[in-house]
Amino acid sequence: KCSSNMRKVGLGVLHFADTTRGNMPVSAHQLLPGEEKKAWIYTVATFLEDVDSIRICPDDPNGRARLNAKLTSYILNSYICIREDVGAVTNINKMSEKTKTFLALETSDSIGTSHADHTHGVNWFKDDMARPNRVNRTWSRIREDVQTNRHGPGSHVVYADGRVELLEESRIDDWVQQNFNFPRPPQL
């Protein structure tokens, strides 16, 4: 059910981009207080049958609270929705490898019902390779944003080509060990 929900959310994002000359929806990061209804999950809602039936992962322990607070279990990759992030690609027509570009991931359980609707991927891999505790610090920052084990060994992600997959924590750990900034879209 979660992968199906995420696929529908991803298709909503892609339909939104189709109608805005490729521009991706904005996150709450760019909104003023009181403008929450302009956040991405609501701007893509017009492209979805019933946004309330799909914006919550059935395995999200905060699901009911997020539903009542008009939030979502899914979190946009900041690199596709925050223009200020170095390396961001906020227009789908400029994404060089849609099969490797993350649109959304599963929101961390630790976020609870805060209004976080995007990752802070630009901060995940900011430590130098030689820094002591770099791996633990990187994992801590990732887990502040993303629930990496909601479905046992991993969690769902949706890519810019509309594909959904279970991304295993072991794969993320390989990237963390290599200091590979996986949420950053591949550049031309």
Side-chain angles (χ1 to χ4, degrees):
K1 177 88 169 130
C2 177
S3 62
S4 176
N5 287 355
M6 190 169 247
R7 184 177 337 284
K8 290 173 187 173
V9 167
L11 290 174
V13 170
L14 296 175
H15 287 303
F16 174 90
D18 283 345
T19 64
T20 58
R21 296 189 307 243
N23 292 314
M24 302 306 278
V26 298
S27 74
H29 184 80
Q30 291 115 328
L31 301 177
L32 299 171
E35 291 185 324
E36 289 83 8
K37 287 286 189 180
K38 293 181 183 177
W40 75 271
I41 194 63
Y42 292 102
T43 57
V44 303
T46 58
F47 302 100
L48 305 169
E49 277 186 38
D50 180 10
V51 71
D52 286 341
S53 70
I54 64 168
R55 67 183 166 88
I56 302 297
C57 167
D59 296 326
D60 183 350
N62 297 313
R64 180 155 312 280
R66 286 185 174 136
L67 184 68
N68 293 337
K70 302 291 186 199
L71 302 173
T72 178
S73 298
Y74 309 113
I75 190 165
L76 276 187
N77 176 4
S78 61
Y79 281 107
I80 63 111
C81 66
I82 299 178
R83 288 173 189 84
E84 296 84 20
D85 280 4
V86 174
V89 181
T90 59
N91 187 298
I92 197 151
N93 299 324
K94 295 180 181 176
M95 291 179 186
S96 64
E97 296 186 59
K98 294 175 184 69
T99 61
K100 295 180 181 177
T101 302
F102 293 92
L103 288 183
L105 303 97
E106 294 197 57
T107 306
S108 174
D109 295 345
S110 66
I111 291 175
T113 57
S114 75
H115 286 276
D117 71 344
H118 63 280
T119 65
H120 299 90
V122 72
N123 294 323
W124 293 355
F125 293 89
K126 65 182 182 181
D127 290 337
D128 183 83
M129 284 286 284
R131 183 181 178 122
N133 294 322
R134 177 194 60 82
V135 169
N136 290 337
R137 291 167 51 86
T138 302
W139 264 112
S140 177
R141 287 191 288 266
I142 292 169
R143 287 185 175 128
E144 286 175 8
D145 292 342
V146 178
Q147 190 63 37
T148 59
N149 63 352
R150 179 157 296 140
H151 306 288
S155 64
H156 294 113
V157 296
V158 61
Y159 292 88
D161 65 353
R163 176 176 46 90
V164 174
E165 76 174 24
L166 184 74
L167 178 61
E168 293 191 5
E169 275 189 310
S170 60
R171 187 166 170 206
I172 296 173
D173 191 54
D174 288 343
W175 290 331
V176 169
Q177 297 293 331
Q178 298 165 18
N179 212 33
F180 172 65
N181 192 350
F182 66 91
R184 185 176 178 186
Q187 306 292 308
L188 290 175

